[in-house]
Amino acid sequence: MNNNIIATTSARARILTDEEIAEIDHEIDLYPDKQAVGLEALKIVQKHQGWVSDESMLAISKYLGIPISDLEGVATFFNLVYRQPVGRNVILFCNSVSCWIMGCKSMRAHINDKLGVDFGETTDDKEFTFLPVPCLGDCDKAPVMMVGDDLHRNLSKESINKIISEYKTRS
Amino acid sequence: MAKIIVDGIEYEVNPENNLLQESLSLGLDLPYFCWHPCMGSVGACRQCAVKQYRDADDKDGTLVMACMTSASDGAIISIEDEEARGMREKVIESLMISHPHDCPVCEEGGECHLQDMTLMSGHNYRRYDKKKVTHRNQYLGPFINHEMNRCITCYRCVRFYDYAGGKDLAAQASHHHTYFGRHQDGVLESEFSGNLVEVCPTGVFTDKAFSAQYARKWDLQTAPSVCVGCSVGCNITPGERYGTLRRIVNRYNSEINGYFICDRGRFGFDYVNGEDRVEAPSIKKGLQVEVLSGQDLESAIKGYAGQEVIGIGSPRATNEANYALCSFVGKENFYSGMADNESEASRLILELSRDKAFHSPSIKEIERADAVIVLGEDLTNTAARIALALRQSVRNKAKELAESINIPVWQDAAVKELAQHERSPLILLSNYATRLDDVASDSIIDSSEVLSQIGYAIAGEISGSRVSCALMKNPYR
Amino acid sequence: MVNKPLTKNIDMSRPPLDMAAYEKNDGYQSLKTISGGLSPADVLQIVKDSGLKGRGGAGFPTGLKWSFVPKSNGSPGQRYFVVNADEMEPGTFKDRLLMEGDPHLLLEGIIIGAYTIEASVAYIFLRGEYKVSEERLKKAISEAYEKGYLGKDIQGTGFDLDIIVHTSAGRYICGEETALLNALEGKRANPRAKPPFPQVSGLWGKPTIVNNVETLCNLPGIIAYGVDWYQGLSLGKDHGTKLFGISGKIKKPGCWELPLGTSIRELLEEYGGGMQEGLELRAFLPGGGSTDFMLPEHLDVKLDYDEIAKVGSRLATGTMILLDNKTCPVGMIGNLMKFFAHESCGFCTPCRDGLPWVDEIFNEFESGRGTEKDLKILHEHVDYLGPGKTFCALAPGATAPLGSGLKYFAEDFERHIKEKRCPYD
């Protein structure tokens, strides 16, 4: 089944926060056409809310005057727009070719074991969401992954254990 | 005119068109999906691959998509070329890998473009034995059924929807999970949504009302007809089975509706099958309505001989019925069912068109107009097909820009990209906001009085002399 | 004289040079040269003469690309300059180094490019995951505005330029320049038909140039030190230096700036230190995931566009991925196919529906269920997804490792079928 998220229940637009609006307005100044700000606005809302809910979609659509279906078409096109709630930390795990050669498969299995989640899943405690990501462009330090905004290189089972416990205690 | 060679035979073609369109016009079999005569080419499906040769000495040739290649003078192509045929076979095989093959229960069966093209492309054995992609369907309202598993991702639906100005249907997700739907379940907003049924080359969008009382295409009794939904006169094909009207589909007429009709025309026929429809002359006695047979009618009429009888006709009844009533009661006792001022306006319009005092443009001409003024009419509600034509007329500016830098007008996406929000003038003068406002260069909303003043001023400007208001009576005043 | 113009300022153990330090190291010298009286046409000629080829993968001559922008005759109208910083080619990690290591160099390159095509707005289309690059570029841009290298009337030339950083949200297809433009406009990143080329109708239908980060980083040196200097940098027919990277099981994986024309052997042995103990080089992809495999017998081939093309592959991004003798080639190709299938935008049929089939077949091979019939279908797809058949170059890129892999590793595919398992497991 194609599990791409397309809202199925009707939602009411939420109210964008002043901070979100200020950031979206800043982007509006940078482009000649508001449509260009659609993806930026999705990312801004995601930065503040953790993900992009149906209510947020509607709010952005209204604010920018972009038809909601078009905005959804963009949101569901890009890998890094989350249309489902994610954990407090998102692990972007590189599984492209260099990391694969350098053994990312066993690193994935290790994270899977350690957190009890595989790609696309969130831990029960909502601490981590585990996602695959195309080549992160740090191939000479493979295997690599990102947690939040931070890149972690030359992964080993030991370093993964350390990274995970660090983020857990960071709450 | 240009000359091209297809498989060794020379043909005369229009160089402004692409090779697919011209090949089809010549009656050559070349399968296609994403191209549509009204919507141009985008090169998505890759089904119309042909071999093109640089010149007579070029024996190798290059594979090109016929829809994305100009039918320019001297072009040499082969449809029958082995590599081209092989490519088309592979494309149809790919398109079919996730198709459910549910043709026996599909409403499209027997009139399915995908079935025809599959056969034409020579794909008759399924090799794909891996997992199929499946989708969830959406509720799209009472008229259109959604069955995404049948989708072959030709992008026609969303392109048509955009053509018709709809905003609530778009491509979602990506790669082989690409999905065509709304952002959530809900009634399709476009007043032309029914065309999705015909635009979709397979059974993703089907006529839900027809499905509820389905009959196979070949079991329907059909006849060429004209839509009675408004005064445009779109050509339609109604289909009947066992005494009930089951569906209406578009019937191509190049000067009028072309490939599309509105939803009122397509879906607004059920009154025909209504149980309380008056099908025979009746006489009302107190609260009782008595149906009269032919004989009874004769005698009932005779009973009123010599008395003062008036006949009230109706603009919604047939000319024949109105004429019969008028003959019976006499012209002096007959009322057409139209208010005097409306009747006067109709008479004036009839007179003027009979005298050819003005040119009444066809829909095709409207689509080609450089600039349009709509005076006091909400066309979407009164003549929807014309509103659709106006949406095309505003694109002429884009086509002009494209031609200025040698982008062929059938290169749909490129033309739109170049023009961005540039549109040909469309000025709407109306009493209220209308559905065409989003493409209007000016939308003036005011009272009828003010609008008619503007109308006089425009007429004066066009004729070069001030038109006296007295000459034209405002029938609505 | 400078011989590593791309990386001379880069030391990843410290933050990048700020404006003052960058300028001290000959930075923004090219702007002084331009304001000293070089017209856009002069700059175009210099870039053409330099022989600089695009470093994003296709290797198209940069000056020639720019020359397709219509002549302005003094009234250019709106034009856009766009930087393709959406580095996502599997195994490619060179633009990150440049942006994190020396952001001012890229800005200087953008200013030169935008000046040449008379664009007043430049967008850097940056990969969203490149957080450090984003932060460093934004800081550098802000310094450049303060210094008057950006904004109105730059250095008294009458030329205005704004640079805007746009961060993407993760799609490989955005590296295709027309898909990138659609993404920048806030649309789904499907590629556009060419013609019309972006030089004529690009961003918002305006004349637009899209260049790769590394390409632009070549420009400051070319303008400041001249064509002769630039051409003297390389050892072979192609000019200048290039970033070359190695990933895989080598002793010292990394990224180095070397003259074009350096031999592959030198790169792998001198810089990479040779294969890890106990491993042998089986094959390598010379320039990222969409290049054809090359074999150890090709080690003496020079890192030049034409030289690599002669042995049936492409220099492309210049970042090599090494396959050793203990890693399954079928698994490696399968990994690439999964990537390409997932990153297909879904617009044209062969790519959208062909790649997932290929991917499914590799899944079967991996789990020991691959058949001769599957193998035949893989072979067919090499042709079916090839150049000219799809809408853009994504799927043809995928056929490069697929086609060459089927040829070079036929025995491995057969073993998977016969042994009903991966022989490397």
Side-chain angles (χ1 to χ4, degrees), chain A residues 8 12 31 49 54 65 73 76 80 99 103 116 126 129 138 146:
Chain A
T8 49
R12 294 174 71 176
Y31 300 88
Q49 311 293 327
D54 294 353
T76 54
L80 297 179
C99 285
K126 310 272 181 269
T129 293
D138 229 349
M146 285 179 84

Side-chain angles (χ1 to χ4, degrees), chain B residues 249-263:
Chain B
V249 294
N250 182 75
R251 182 164 58 90
Y252 179 76
N253 181 317
S254 65
E255 291 300 314
I256 309 176
N257 44 304
Y259 293 90
F260 309 121
I261 56 174
C262 73
D263 284 1

Side-chain angles (χ1 to χ4, degrees), chain C residues 2 8-9 14 16-30 32 102 104-105 108 143 147 149 224-225:
Chain C
V2 174
K8 64 180 166 117
N9 295 332
R14 56 150 172 81
L17 299 187
D18 64 7
M19 175 60 87
Y22 180 77
E23 281 202 293
K24 213 171 143 196
N25 239 356
D26 271 3
Y28 291 106
Q29 191 62 45
S30 65
K32 293 177 185 88
D102 198 10
H104 277 293
L105 183 69
E108 192 178 343
E143 286 177 338
K147 192 82 193 179
Y149 293 156
Y225 310 128

Side-chain angles (χ1 to χ4, degrees), chain B residues 312-384:
Chain B
I312 302 174
S314 165
R316 289 181 183 275
T318 60
N319 286 337
E320 290 84 346
N322 279 312
Y323 181 75
L325 183 60
C326 182
S327 312
F328 169 61
V329 297
K331 216 175 172 183
E332 63 284 2
N333 292 327
F334 176 73
Y335 173 55
S336 69
M338 289 160 89
D340 282 353
N341 54 3
E342 214 171 312
S343 184
E344 172 60 15
S346 300
R347 192 199 53 74
L348 187 63
I349 289 168
L350 197 64
E351 195 179 291
L352 290 170
S353 20
R354 216 182 259 147
D355 296 349
K356 301 209 186 312
F358 60 85
H359 173 65
S360 177
S362 71
I363 283 181
K364 204 173 182 179
E365 287 171 313
I366 292 172
E367 285 179 353
R368 286 197 297 244
D370 295 324
V372 177
I373 300 170
V374 179
L375 184 60
E377 192 73 40
D378 175 5
L379 284 167
T380 306
N381 278 308
T382 58

Side-chain angles (χ1 to χ4, degrees), chain C residues 387-419:
Chain C
K389 300 197 169 162
T390 52
F391 194 83
C392 81
L394 187 145
T399 64
L402 178 63
S404 56
L406 284 167
K407 186 170 72 184
Y408 294 143
F409 311 121
E411 202 183 307
D412 290 278
F413 281 92
E414 288 297 341
R415 279 188 66 192
H416 278 76
I417 297 171
K418 284 202 188 83
E419 297 173 23

Side-chain angles (χ1 to χ4, degrees), chain B residues 127-358:
Chain B
R127 296 190 298 169
Y128 183 75
D129 54 3
K130 313 290 183 245
K131 239 170 35 186
K132 288 185 179 186
V133 176
T134 57
H135 303 272
R136 292 189 185 94
N137 300 319
Q138 289 182 322
Y139 169 77
L140 298 178
F143 298 134
I144 307 287
N145 194 53
H146 195 219
E147 184 57 61
M148 261 305 293
N149 288 346
R150 295 177 185 147
C151 181
I152 57 157
T153 328
C154 70
Y155 288 82
R156 261 193 183 187
C157 54
V158 287
R159 293 183 58 227
F160 168 75
Y161 216 74
D162 180 51
Y163 174 95
K167 306 262 186 265
D168 62 325
L169 185 78
Q172 314 287 339
S174 68
H175 47 91
H176 61 315
H177 292 161
T178 304
Y179 185 94
F180 301 96
R182 299 183 81 252
H183 74 290
Q184 62 185 29
D185 284 22
V187 183
L188 285 170
E189 289 164 9
S190 170
E191 54 276 12
F192 299 99
S193 66
N195 293 292
L196 292 173
V197 174
E198 295 187 50
V199 164
C200 174
T202 179
V204 177
F205 300 96
T206 51
D207 182 333
K208 200 182 244 182
F210 177 47
S211 298
Q213 41 167 5
Y214 183 71
R216 303 316 298 250
K217 184 199 180 187
W218 47 84
D219 287 333
L220 289 172
Q221 289 220 53
T222 59
S225 186
V226 173
C227 181
V228 295
C230 75
S231 57
V232 171
C234 291
N235 286 199
I236 54 167
T237 304
E240 177 270 359
R241 174 82 166 151
Y242 294 137
T244 56
L245 183 55
R246 300 292 176 91
R247 71 162 181 188
I248 285 172
V249 294
N250 182 75
R251 182 164 58 90
Y252 179 76
N253 181 317
S254 65
E255 291 300 314
I256 309 176
N257 44 304
Y259 293 90
F260 309 121
I261 56 174
C262 73
D263 284 1
R264 185 194 289 172
R266 184 183 303 271
F267 300 116
F269 64 81
D270 206 38
Y271 63 89
V272 172
N273 300 329
E275 278 178 18
D276 50 359
R277 181 180 166 193
V278 180
E279 289 180 310
S282 312
I283 191 160
K284 198 172 179 190
K285 291 179 175 166
L287 289 174
Q288 292 292 325
V289 177
E290 201 176 291
V291 175
L292 300 176
S293 70
Q295 286 290 308
D296 294 342
L297 180 63
E298 287 283 317
S299 52
I301 289 168
K302 274 183 190 144
Y304 292 105
Q307 296 184 41
E308 284 287 319
V309 179
I310 62 160
I312 302 174
S314 165
R316 289 181 183 275
T318 60
N319 286 337
E320 290 84 346
N322 279 312
Y323 181 75
L325 183 60
C326 182
S327 312
F328 169 61
V329 297
K331 216 175 172 183
E332 63 284 2
N333 292 327
F334 176 73
Y335 173 55
S336 69
M338 289 160 89
D340 282 353
N341 54 3
E342 214 171 312
S343 184
E344 172 60 15
S346 300
R347 192 199 53 74
L348 187 63
I349 289 168
L350 197 64
E351 195 179 291
L352 290 170
S353 20
R354 216 182 259 147
D355 296 349
K356 301 209 186 312
F358 60 85

Side-chain angles (χ1 to χ4, degrees), chain C residues 15-207:
Chain C
L17 299 187
D18 64 7
M19 175 60 87
Y22 180 77
E23 281 202 293
K24 213 171 143 196
N25 239 356
D26 271 3
Y28 291 106
Q29 191 62 45
S30 65
L31 295 198
K32 293 177 185 88
T33 314
I34 285 173
S35 59
L38 284 183
S39 71
D42 296 335
V43 180
L44 175 63
Q45 195 55 48
I46 294 170
V47 175
K48 270 186 177 172
D49 292 344
S50 75
L52 171 65
K53 287 181 179 173
R55 306 293 198 232
F60 193 81
T62 306
L64 188 60
K65 186 177 201 177
W66 291 2
S67 71
F68 297 141
V69 174
K71 292 216 163 29
S72 73
N73 300 323
S75 55
Q78 185 64 60
R79 288 158 180 223
Y80 293 104
F81 198 88
V82 177
V83 184
N84 187 344
D86 198 41
E87 182 168 71
M88 215 186 291
E89 181 70 32
T92 299
F93 50 102
K94 63 185 186 67
D95 295 341
R96 178 200 281 277
L97 179 75
L98 292 169
M99 290 186 287
E100 289 185 4
D102 198 10
H104 277 293
L105 183 69
L106 174 60
L107 299 189
E108 192 178 343
I110 297 169
I111 297 168
I112 295 165
Y115 174 77
T116 313
I117 69 151
E118 301 175 73
S120 61
V121 180
Y123 291 97
I124 301 177
F125 190 95
L126 178 66
R127 194 169 173 190
E129 294 94 325
Y130 279 17
K131 302 289 180 191
V132 177
S133 300
E134 179 186 354
E135 182 197 312
R136 292 182 178 180
L137 281 167
K138 282 182 172 169
K139 181 168 174 282
I141 289 170
S142 150
E143 286 177 338
Y145 271 105
E146 275 169 34
K147 192 82 193 179
Y149 293 156
L150 289 176
K152 294 272 173 209
D153 190 19
I154 296 167
Q155 298 292 295
T157 52
F159 166 62
D160 307 335
L161 179 66
D162 286 318
I163 298 184
I164 295 153
V165 177
H166 172 101
T167 54
S168 185
R171 275 321 282 259
Y172 172 67
I173 190 63
C174 295
E176 200 284 340
E177 64 176 9
T178 58
L180 182 154
L181 296 178
N182 276 339
L184 201 43
E185 291 180 16
K187 298 174 183 161
R188 292 163 61 79
N190 296 329
R192 299 175 182 174
K194 293 190 264 190
F197 289 90
Q199 291 95 323
V200 175
S201 176
L203 195 59
W204 292 293
K206 304 296 181 205

Side-chain angles (χ1 to χ4, degrees), chain B residues 42-46 63 68 83 90-91 94 97 127-130 152-153 155 171 173-175 411 417 420, chain C residues 171 185 187-188 192-193 195 204-205 341-342 344 346 348-350 352-353 357 373-374 380 384 389-391:
Chain B
V42 288
C45 76
R46 321 305 277 177
L63 214 59
M68 297 297 278
E83 192 193 359
K90 290 289 295 174
V91 170
S94 300
I97 63 176
R127 296 190 298 169
Y128 183 75
D129 54 3
K130 313 290 183 245
I152 57 157
T153 328
Y155 288 82
S174 68
H175 47 91
Q411 272 249 32
E417 188 53 49
Q420 296 289 314
Chain C
R171 275 321 282 259
E185 291 180 16
K187 298 174 183 161
R188 292 163 61 79
R192 299 175 182 174
W204 292 293
H342 185 267
S344 165
C348 82
T349 306
R352 179 190 62 239
D353 293 328
W357 193 352
K373 181 189 137 190
D374 287 333
E380 283 178 21
Y384 172 49
K389 300 197 169 162
T390 52
F391 194 83

